[in-house]
Amino acid sequence: MTTATAVLETRRPMPGMGVYNMKLGMWVFLLSEVMFFTSLIGAYIILRAAHPDAFAEPGVVLNVPLTAFNTFVLICSSVTMVKAFAAIEHGDQAGLKRWLIATALLGMFFVGVQVVEYIKLAEHGFVPATAAYAAAGGPLYGVTFYTMTGFHGAHVSIGVLCLWFTVFQAFRGRYTREKHGGVEIMGLYWHFVDLVWIILFTIVYLI
Amino acid sequence: MQTHTPSGNAMLDPAADPTIPVPERPTPRYMLVFLGLFILTIIELGVAFVGLSRIMTIVALIVLAIYKAVLVALYYMHLRFEPTRLRVAVLAPLPLAFILVLAVLTEF
């Protein structure tokens, strides 16, 4: 298979859905992720409704200003990601690299802030699976909080690794104006992670 | 554009081949969407701590969060410019997700 044929195979729309294979595959994966996070959020809502006294009010235990700032960072990273995609759509190689690196750095910053948040919470005794922080709400609060934010953090961390791989590929000149499916797929994943955080931030930190 | 090699094998020129779908969608105003997301986040923080009733706070926050999520999906994930069939496929699990939560909620 020649490179040109490979390009065509990658970008050719599926007869049924009207999008190319890689993009359809990523969407199917993201839909499975919707169900995964729904199960986590659903479990949280149900547990909170059943045991309202086991959960602290917003801002009592969790650092809302710090997390709001982190939310802003993740939203910024979505902008830089979409800017990278727009750059390569117009054949701007330098812009692609610049915006991809910015996205990866913002993603790393988000994870770093989350780690700092975990450390601060642990210093105050808010850790999962112990009774020491019962005064802060109860064991259910910690377990659900760390499960949801932890899984999201894992997704961001994996996304950062994939972003650096995308940066590496960009520097190798693997993306062009005509062939940039990898950047688009990466962007879909990254925006999904941002979208999930928008929901999580509201449900876990503000409600 | 298809060219033919001396051996007769078709070679595809991806840079000029009109069969390779080059995005034709209008470029969304990404910074405007970003500004919207930023402002909505500020409003969320205000709603959370302004002292509205519990129900009002929850409803307002959920509506704002869904609105922000829709903005990301429509403009950053370009769902607005995708074929209708894909949009329908993407929306398909949402009722299932709702049923999943609702069905378990009725246990309490």
Side-chain angles (χ1 to χ4, degrees), chain A residues 79-151:
Chain A
V79 180
T80 54
M81 184 70 234
V82 86
K83 284 283 191 184
F85 177 66
I88 194 60
E89 265 196 327
H90 293 92
D92 179 6
Q93 293 285 342
L96 169 71
K97 293 167 192 167
R98 185 171 60 244
W99 290 116
L100 276 179
I101 290 172
T103 309
L105 290 176
L106 286 168
M108 289 172 69
F109 187 83
F110 177 89
V111 175
V113 170
Q114 196 170 27
V115 169
V116 169
E117 181 195 19
Y118 280 8
I119 291 170
K120 294 289 182 190
L121 288 172
E123 283 175 357
H124 289 87
F126 188 68
V127 291
T130 66
Y133 61 94
L140 275 179
Y141 191 23
V143 169
T144 51
F145 168 78
Y146 283 109
T147 303
M148 286 194 290
T149 58
F151 268 115

Side-chain angles (χ1 to χ4, degrees), chain A residues 180-203:
Chain A
H180 50 263
V183 179
E184 187 170 21
I185 301 308
M186 182 65 243
L188 282 176
Y189 178 83
W190 194 255
H191 298 311
F192 176 78
V193 166
D194 181 29
L195 190 153
V196 169
W197 182 253
I198 285 170
I199 304 291
L200 281 184
F201 174 64
T202 298
I203 289 178

Side-chain angles (χ1 to χ4, degrees), chain A residues 2 4-5 7-8 11-13 15-19 23-24 27 30-31 34-35 38-39 42 45-46 48-50 57-59 64 68 71-72 75-76 78-79 82-83 85-86 89-90 177-178 180 184 188 191-192 194-195 198-199 201-202 206-207, chain B residues 10-17 19-23 25 27 30-31 34 37-38 41 44-45 48-49 54 57-58 61-62 64-66 68-70 72-73 75-79 82-83 85-86 89-91 93-94 96-98 100-101 104-105 108:
Chain A
T2 64
T5 310
V7 170
L8 185 60
R11 299 287 294 167
R12 179 186 293 157
M17 300 303 292
V19 296
K23 188 195 261 187
L24 182 61
W27 271 112
L30 293 182
L31 296 182
V34 168
M35 296 310 288
T38 298
S39 65
I45 292 170
I46 290 159
R48 188 159 179 181
E57 290 296 310
V64 175
T71 304
F72 175 69
I75 291 172
C76 287
S78 254
V79 180
V82 86
K83 284 283 191 184
F85 177 66
E89 265 196 327
H90 293 92
R177 184 173 182 275
E178 294 75 26
H180 50 263
E184 187 170 21
L188 282 176
H191 298 311
F192 176 78
D194 181 29
L195 190 153
I198 285 170
I199 304 291
F201 174 64
T202 298
L206 298 182
I207 292 180
Chain B
M11 291 289 288
L12 297 171
D13 177 7
D17 192 340
T19 63
I20 299 175
V22 175
R25 60 174 174 267
T27 303
Y30 296 125
M31 295 311 289
F34 166 70
L37 291 170
F38 177 68
T41 304
E44 274 188 325
L45 289 171
F49 296 103
R54 183 79 179 141
T57 303
I58 290 173
L61 287 174
I62 288 175
L64 285 168
I66 290 174
K68 285 167 66 182
V70 168
V72 171
Y75 293 101
Y76 286 174
M77 300 174 88
H78 299 119
L79 208 51
E82 297 292 0
R85 282 166 289 186
L86 180 66
V90 169
L91 289 174
L94 298 185
L96 296 175
F98 181 72
L100 173 69
V101 175
V104 187
L105 262 179
F108 292 93

